[in-house]
Amino acid sequence: ARQGLLVTRQTLWDQLDALLGHLEPTVEALHAYVLSADVIQADETRWPLLGTEGASKWHAWAVAREDAISYRVLGSRSRKAAAEVLGGFTGTAVTDGYAVYEALANSRDGPGFTLAHCWGHTRRKYVEAAESYPKANEMIDRIGALYAIEARADEARVTLDVRGAMRRTESRPIVDDIYRWITTEPALPKSLLGKAIGYTQRLWPGL
């Protein structure tokens, strides 16, 4: 319009549709490259629809490796959608506690990947509980100690073998202590602290 041209919505749509044909092979190649990694991160979030404030039937899915990320915008966050995003991935996927990932990982007809759950999502549950239940800070401190070990490894730019040794000798005792805490700390199941403990217990194999 600034150039004095009248361009209809249909023309713009046709241009986007034509562009899709050029970009789609690159998009698919990028997605395949991400899924070829041994370890990826996977997550999903609501994708807003224009003109539907506060409501959406779409979800943006993301899979990422160290040097690349791929997105899919799909009509749901169902197991079927997760299978479409994760394709034939057979490595380790770092995820939150969304049950669809676990169902897909354990499915006989699924990709058959291994789940590694996210300590950041776990920590968030205790942060939410801490205001009403100060005991939650004990878990926040324990998770913080795990973070500190990883930060030291990052700062020293250690090899994967050295990082693995640090995890076995330094992180493992903390993880064992966390397990002792979540299996002995009394809390009402429906309280924020109880829900945080229950969440941690449910995801423990992946943590």
Side-chain angles (χ1 to χ4, degrees):
R2 288 193 299 268
Q3 298 301 318
L5 299 174
L6 177 62
V7 183
T8 66
R9 289 184 180 182
Q10 185 60 53
T11 299
L12 292 172
W13 176 258
D14 289 344
Q15 289 176 341
L16 286 172
D17 192 49
L19 186 61
L20 170 66
H22 292 285
L23 293 179
E24 193 166 22
T26 301
V27 170
E28 293 304 322
L30 175 63
H31 195 74
Y33 173 71
V34 171
L35 295 185
S36 70
D38 293 330
V39 179
I40 64 170
Q41 293 173 298
D43 203 0
E44 82 295 325
T45 190
R46 286 182 298 175
W47 184 263
L49 268 175
L50 292 176
T52 56
E53 186 176 347
S56 173
K57 66 176 182 177
W58 299 94
H59 286 82
W61 294 76
V63 286
R65 58 186 290 172
E66 186 176 4
D67 59 350
I69 185 166
S70 174
Y71 295 97
R72 289 283 190 273
V73 178
L74 302 176
S76 75
R77 63 196 293 255
S78 64
R79 174 174 156 178
K80 181 180 178 181
E84 183 177 341
V85 172
L86 290 167
F89 180 66
T90 56
T92 298
V94 181
T95 73
D96 60 15
Y98 185 37
V100 160
Y101 295 114
E102 186 173 358
L104 191 62
N106 295 330
S107 171
R108 290 183 179 179
D109 57 353
F113 55 87
T114 300
L115 277 180
H117 285 118
C118 170
W119 280 105
H121 283 86
T122 304
R123 180 183 181 278
R124 185 185 304 167
K125 301 293 182 182
Y126 293 94
V127 171
E128 292 169 355
E131 185 174 349
S132 302
Y133 299 89
K135 269 282 185 181
N137 287 300
E138 295 181 10
M139 180 59 76
I140 294 171
D141 291 341
R142 285 171 167 85
I143 296 173
L146 292 177
Y147 283 11
I149 294 167
E150 297 298 315
R152 254 193 306 117
D154 289 341
E155 186 176 349
R157 298 182 179 180
V158 300
T159 65
L160 284 176
D161 286 342
V162 172
R163 187 185 294 268
M166 291 174 70
R167 288 174 173 173
R168 286 189 296 274
T169 59
E170 299 183 46
S171 301
R172 171 58 64 185
I174 298 171
V175 172
D176 291 342
D177 183 48
I178 287 174
Y179 184 74
R180 178 199 59 76
W181 194 93
I182 64 171
T183 54
T184 59
E185 186 63 33
L188 295 173
K190 292 187 177 181
S191 67
L192 286 175
L193 180 58
K195 289 179 179 178
I197 291 173
Y199 180 90
T200 312
Q201 290 174 340
R202 182 170 67 83
L203 300 189
W204 190 254
L207 291 170

